[in-house]
Amino acid sequence: MRADRLVSLVLLLRQHGRLSAAALARELEVSTRTVLRDIEALSAAGVPVYAERGRHGGFALLPGFRTELTGLNPDEALALLVAGSRRGAQAFGLGSALASAMLKVVDALPESYRDTAAGAAERLLIDPQTDLLSRRLVTEEVPDAIAAEVLRAVFAGHKLQIHYAAEGQSPTWRTVDPIGLVTIRDRGYLLATRSGEDRTYRLSRILAAKELPEPAQRPDRVDLDRAWQERSTRFRTGGDQVTVLVRVKPKRREELLGTALAVLAEEPDSAGWLRLEVTFQDSRHAEWALWQLSMDGEALAPQWLRTSLRNRATAIATRYEGASTAT
């Protein structure tokens, strides 16, 4: 868009001081003729850009010129910069646009605010790539072309055709009515309806997408937070979920809750442990979660889970009996 290009042109001149038309054309990926037209448009709009002749000439802004965001105080600027540091936009293919926007915000701030906000933002790290145990947090990648097509359909209110690979199934094409997008723990989801039924699609499983010209059948306004909560509730209470009674040391409580779908009951026991009734997606999920707790957790019920964990522990102990068989 031309407006974006004009802003980028001003920022380039601010950062470099003086640039030739050819250099600006390379940076903006347009022709020198387009650059000259943009320079004229900026001058007509009151931006003090001028030309310097000669071998080392080019275009420059009058010293001291800057565009300011009036009314933005240091705390507000800091909030914008911190928001820009989060990775949620990556799930929607907006990472590069967000980074560009943050640069424009910083550049447009008055100098005193800019230094304060940028300095404070450097001292805040939101959602790092690894935790304290150096476990890398996996971010699902969504190709920019797919993310852009989904975004266009969502914003325009058009039907969307997606080639979707549901877990354990062959990819199929389906036409949906997009409602909105949600990101949680760096995973992006498309909330939609299909033939009038609520559907939720993980963006990373969309192999191809195409915005259709037909209008989507959806309400004019939507409460995404409420819609997500309702779908989450249906997800937790459907399918092959299993309920487990477990005792766990308090220091491992958050780890357990991070893997469970829901907590139905919780109380301390006489030994200083916690007794919880929790729901897992299926039996494999429950066994995996309890195994991660090692000696800091114990499945009390159902019996099949205790048996599975005992059999697994027995198999591990058998493998490590005696001398190593490695040569």
Side-chain angles (χ1 to χ4, degrees):
M1 294 177 62
R2 191 186 188 196
D4 291 338
R5 191 173 68 244
L6 292 177
V7 172
S8 296
L9 194 157
V10 172
L11 293 177
L12 285 170
L13 293 179
R14 281 194 45 76
Q15 294 166 5
H16 297 282
R18 182 186 300 108
L19 287 173
S20 66
L24 287 168
R26 287 193 300 270
E27 292 286 345
L28 299 172
E29 297 182 348
V30 296
S31 66
T32 54
R33 184 185 296 272
T34 297
V35 168
L36 295 176
R37 284 201 300 265
D38 288 347
I39 293 292
E40 291 180 1
L42 289 173
S43 297
V47 177
V49 58
Y50 67 96
E52 290 188 354
R53 306 290 181 183
R55 181 178 179 183
H56 300 291
F59 295 100
L61 296 169
L62 287 178
F65 169 78
R66 68 181 310 103
T67 56
E68 295 188 356
L69 293 179
T70 59
L72 198 64
N73 62 40
D75 287 342
E76 292 168 338
L78 176 60
L80 285 174
L81 294 174
V82 171
S85 71
R86 298 185 67 87
R87 298 196 307 274
Q90 301 294 339
F92 301 146
L94 294 175
S96 59
L98 183 58
S100 175
M102 290 305 101
L103 287 175
K104 293 174 183 178
V105 168
V106 172
D107 189 82
L109 286 170
E111 186 172 356
S112 59
Y113 284 5
R114 183 173 71 251
D115 294 342
T116 300
E122 291 176 354
R123 300 183 182 277
L124 298 174
L125 177 61
I126 310 297
D127 292 337
Q129 292 288 342
T130 58
D131 62 15
L132 285 175
L133 299 179
S134 296
R135 295 175 296 194
R136 185 169 182 83
L137 305 178
V138 179
T139 301
E140 296 185 344
E141 298 294 333
V142 180
D144 289 345
I146 293 177
E149 201 73 11
V150 173
L151 280 171
R152 280 195 292 268
V154 170
F155 294 155
H158 290 168
K159 288 183 178 293
L160 179 69
Q161 192 175 52
I162 58 175
H163 194 212
Y164 191 74
E167 186 175 7
Q169 300 179 25
S170 299
T172 59
W173 283 97
R174 56 196 76 183
T175 299
V176 302
D177 296 298
I179 293 175
L181 293 163
V182 175
T183 178
I184 179 170
R185 296 193 182 98
D186 292 326
R187 290 182 177 179
Y189 297 89
L190 168 66
L191 272 59
T193 60
R194 185 182 179 203
S195 300
E197 298 292 330
D198 288 345
R199 294 289 185 270
T200 303
Y201 302 100
R202 188 181 296 185
L203 292 184
S204 62
R205 291 179 180 167
I206 298 178
L207 307 180
K210 181 181 180 181
E211 178 192 5
L212 301 178
E214 295 88 354
Q217 300 300 313
R218 66 180 191 180
D220 293 333
R221 301 186 64 84
V222 63
D223 185 341
L224 274 185
D225 185 60
R226 180 178 179 181
W228 178 255
Q229 292 297 330
E230 291 175 348
R231 296 184 187 207
S232 297
T233 299
R234 288 198 296 270
F235 175 78
R236 290 195 301 267
T237 57
D240 300 321
Q241 284 89 357
V242 297
T243 300
V244 174
L245 181 61
V246 58
R247 64 192 298 262
V248 62
K249 287 186 176 180
K251 66 180 182 180
R252 304 295 294 275
R253 175 183 181 275
E254 293 304 319
E255 180 180 342
L256 175 65
L257 299 191
T259 62
L261 291 179
V263 179
L264 305 180
E266 178 179 355
E267 63 179 6
D269 67 12
S270 58
W273 288 42
L274 297 173
R275 294 172 66 96
L276 298 97
E277 188 177 4
V278 295
T279 301
F280 292 102
Q281 180 61 38
D282 52 34
S283 58
R284 292 177 59 188
H285 182 197
E287 182 177 345
W288 174 86
L290 270 295
W291 183 259
Q292 304 306 306
L293 296 176
S294 185
M295 298 299 293
D296 292 335
E298 178 187 0
L300 302 177
Q303 183 58 45
W304 63 260
L305 179 56
R306 291 178 60 85
T307 301
S308 295
L309 291 169
R310 182 192 63 208
N311 292 343
R312 177 183 284 205
T314 299
I316 293 293
T318 300
R319 172 167 294 181
Y320 285 99
E321 284 181 353
S324 171
T325 58
T327 57

